[in-house]
Amino acid sequence: MTRRPHHHPVMGLLRRLDGWARAAFPAASTALLMMLAAAPAGLPSAVPSVALACIFFWTVFRPAAMAPPVCFGIGLLQDLLGFAPLGIGILTLLAVHGAALRLRRFLARQPFPMVWLVFTGFAATASALGFLLQAALNWRVPPPTLGLVQFALSAGLYPPLAALLTRLHKAMQRAETLG
Amino acid sequence: MIRLSIPLRQALSRLSLPVLIAAAFGIMLLGKADTALVGRARMAVADTLAPIYGVLAEPLNAVRDAVQELRFLAALREENLRLREENERLHRWQAAALALEAENAMLQRQLSYIPEVKASFHTARVVADAGGTYARAVLLATGPGNTIAKGQVALDERGLAGRVTEVGSRSARVLLVTDMNSRIPVVLEGSRGRAMMAGTNGDRPRLQFWPEGSPPREGERVVTSAEAGVFPAGLPVGVVRWTEGGAAEVELFARLNRLDLLRIFDFGLSGILPPEAVARPEPRQRH
């Protein structure tokens, strides 16, 4: 690799570190939020919902930092944190990522309620896909209410999560225009 | 770092999603084919995260305790009245229990009854919900050098909560009795009829396969059965509740939606089934 000319080597290194930190932030914060969501709260597990919302948000607004391998890793983490058959989280999240990537040009320009509406569609599809895969891999049909609870949790969690992530995303954008 | 031409890089990035989706299917097959490997991977993740969960659990518990404290303060008067009444009732029961204990000891002496070995137990903190959407399980932080083993029985302060299904070096996973894959041999205390208690992922597991002619009665106590050599006989499980739809369910004594400490008992029982065998319901018994 050829080094780009920098006026000061230390400044160049710092800038590159800063760039890496920003590139890694979406994945790292998603993993952290998922771990927080696994805390025992007496509620149904919010881990899949958190992963879904974060993947969707970063795919739409910062696709460079949410590449397919990152989605794969987050899906694997989701599957390992839970008790479900391996692969369900990976497949669902990759499908959501792929679909959101196709719609991102349209979605990035929409007001929040519209994005939320589209997200609920994604959440419904993802819950249905997860339910079907669960039934297929365990060879037993789980109670349908669980799929509905999962969907409701995803749809309900999106606005607060998106509000938080939007702030972080805006802060990163400001840092980028300054740098 | 290798420098790739732009069209090649674009082609690679377009290919990565389908390749990874294929890999996801591959992992699904692998997970079905080698459950032991998946278990080890899960416990490796759980072991890594257990200390973090342990730290996170502290403030969360503090918040939960504070909320509970406020609720207690609000209901102090009624609570006190209720407790007074309950205490009086329990005093009467205590007298009855002491009398029965003495009588039991006397009868055991006369029958030269072989006493069961005293069980040893460890208490461990519940640090994470390890179930996800379609399973009911919790993760325990056990600390290094624990003697917890697969198949041991977990009880909260009131009754049966679940069984240890996976053990790591710093954590253990407990499958709760409400999970779909949980099948527990139980005895209906009134009729001594045997039955299976099957989890449904809901709050109340269902009773199945009771002997014909003696259906479980509403409010009857359900205790564990020593049938399969997995549980000792007589651990408190719950009471029978009939639903409007005509299904017999068990209202558990254990409060599974607010577990914070679990006692893991080692009853020294060897008839432990591997988890994949537990997943299959027992064949119906003929009586």
Side-chain angles (χ1 to χ4, degrees), chain A residues 38 40 42 79 82-84 137 150, chain B residues 32 42 127 129 131 133 173 257:
Chain A
D79 285 340
F83 216 80
L137 286 175
Q150 163 97 70
Chain B
K32 280 275 116 181
R42 285 225 166 95
V127 289
D129 169 3
T133 313
R173 203 183 282 257
N257 53 353

Side-chain angles (χ1 to χ4, degrees), chain B residues 159-181:
Chain B
L160 182 71
R163 283 179 59 200
V164 177
T165 53
E166 280 160 29
V167 181
S169 58
R170 267 184 298 217
S171 57
R173 203 183 282 257
V174 172
L175 193 72
L176 300 178
V177 291
T178 46
D179 187 274
M180 268 198 305
N181 290 313

Side-chain angles (χ1 to χ4, degrees), chain B residues 96-119:
Chain B
L98 286 174
L100 285 174
E101 194 182 45
E103 188 188 33
N104 197 21
M106 186 190 73
L107 290 173
Q108 279 185 3
R109 260 204 315 280
Q110 288 186 357
L111 290 170
S112 54
Y113 175 83
I114 304 165
E116 280 178 25
V117 274
K118 267 256 159 80

Side-chain angles (χ1 to χ4, degrees), chain A residues 35-36 38-40 42 45 48 68-69 72 79-84 86-87 90-91 94 98 131 134 137 140 143 146-147 150, chain B residues 16-17 20 24 27-28 32 42 45 49 53 56 60 127-136 173 180-181 200-201 257 279:
Chain A
M35 276 157 49
L36 285 177
S45 170
F72 188 89
D79 285 340
L80 289 179
L81 282 177
F83 216 80
L86 218 58
I90 304 177
L91 193 64
L94 280 175
F131 184 84
Q134 183 77 29
L137 286 175
R140 182 172 341 138
L146 292 175
Q150 163 97 70
Chain B
S16 68
L17 189 62
L20 286 172
I27 282 192
M28 258 179 222
K32 280 275 116 181
R42 285 225 166 95
V45 171
L49 296 182
Y53 281 137
L56 284 178
L60 277 176
V127 289
D129 169 3
T133 313
Y134 296 101
R136 296 282 171 269
R173 203 183 282 257
M180 268 198 305
N181 290 313
T200 58
N201 274 5
N257 53 353

Side-chain angles (χ1 to χ4, degrees), chain B residues 155-231:
Chain B
L155 284 91
D156 79 345
E157 70 275 19
R158 295 167 175 234
L160 182 71
R163 283 179 59 200
V164 177
T165 53
E166 280 160 29
V167 181
S169 58
R170 267 184 298 217
S171 57
R173 203 183 282 257
V174 172
L175 193 72
L176 300 178
V177 291
T178 46
D179 187 274
M180 268 198 305
N181 290 313
S182 162
R183 298 282 183 284
I184 310 278
V186 292
V187 168
L188 307 165
E189 211 171 42
S191 63
R192 305 305 298 170
R194 297 199 178 95
M196 289 302 287
M197 187 177 76
T200 58
N201 274 5
D203 284 342
R204 293 177 177 183
R206 267 189 193 181
L207 283 178
Q208 299 174 334
F209 309 127
W210 56 79
E212 257 161 68
S214 67
R217 276 178 291 112
E218 172 82 20
E220 191 172 6
R221 260 169 62 95
V222 176
V223 296
T224 55
S225 149
E227 190 91 321
V230 178
F231 294 99

Side-chain angles (χ1 to χ4, degrees), chain B residues 16-95:
Chain B
S16 68
L17 189 62
V19 166
L20 286 172
I21 286 180
F25 280 111
I27 282 192
M28 258 179 222
L29 286 180
L30 182 73
K32 280 275 116 181
D34 193 349
T35 41
L37 180 75
V38 177
R40 273 205 303 279
R42 285 225 166 95
M43 281 332 284
V45 171
D47 276 348
T48 322
L49 296 182
I52 306 175
Y53 281 137
V55 172
L56 284 178
E58 294 291 320
L60 277 176
N61 282 339
V63 170
R64 206 164 45 170
D65 289 350
V67 170
Q68 203 155 29
E69 198 70 13
L70 280 177
R71 216 178 285 155
F72 276 152
L73 281 176
L76 204 59
R77 241 183 119 80
E78 292 103 275
E79 183 79 359
N80 203 8
L81 211 66
R82 194 180 63 76
L83 286 177
R84 234 177 252 272
E85 205 176 298
E86 189 175 290
N87 197 23
E88 214 161 291
R89 198 151 41 80
L90 289 179
H91 266 303
R92 284 204 293 278
W93 274 112
Q94 193 195 19

Side-chain angles (χ1 to χ4, degrees), chain A residues 11-177:
Chain A
M11 283 306 286
L13 180 67
L14 276 181
R15 189 169 300 168
R16 219 180 302 159
L17 275 180
D18 188 42
W20 282 338
R22 245 180 281 128
F25 177 78
S29 63
T30 304
L32 184 72
L33 281 173
M34 282 164 73
M35 276 157 49
L36 285 177
L43 294 169
S45 170
V47 177
S49 307
V50 167
L52 186 72
C54 289
I55 293 263
F56 179 83
F57 182 90
W58 292 119
T59 302
V60 169
F61 294 104
R62 200 170 268 267
M66 197 42 89
V70 177
C71 297
F72 188 89
I74 289 172
L76 189 62
L77 178 67
Q78 180 195 316
D79 285 340
L80 289 179
L81 282 177
F83 216 80
L86 218 58
I88 294 180
I90 304 177
L91 193 64
T92 322
L93 292 180
L94 280 175
V96 164
H97 169 76
L101 205 59
R102 293 197 166 224
L103 289 178
R104 71 167 288 267
R105 283 190 199 291
F106 162 73
L107 282 174
R109 279 180 280 116
Q110 300 301 316
F112 175 75
M114 186 64 195
V115 179
W116 188 22
L117 194 69
V118 173
F119 176 78
T120 50
F122 272 79
T125 318
S127 305
L129 182 61
F131 184 84
L132 288 178
L133 285 173
Q134 183 77 29
L137 286 175
N138 272 345
W139 209 237
R140 182 172 341 138
V141 181
T145 41
L146 292 175
L148 291 177
V149 165
Q150 163 97 70
F151 162 68
L153 209 59
S154 303
L157 264 177
Y158 186 72
L161 262 178
L164 177 75
L165 295 180
T166 305
R167 279 177 173 221
L168 295 168
H169 173 57
K170 292 261 166 70
M172 283 200 280
Q173 268 181 334
R174 269 200 301 280
E176 271 150 24
T177 47

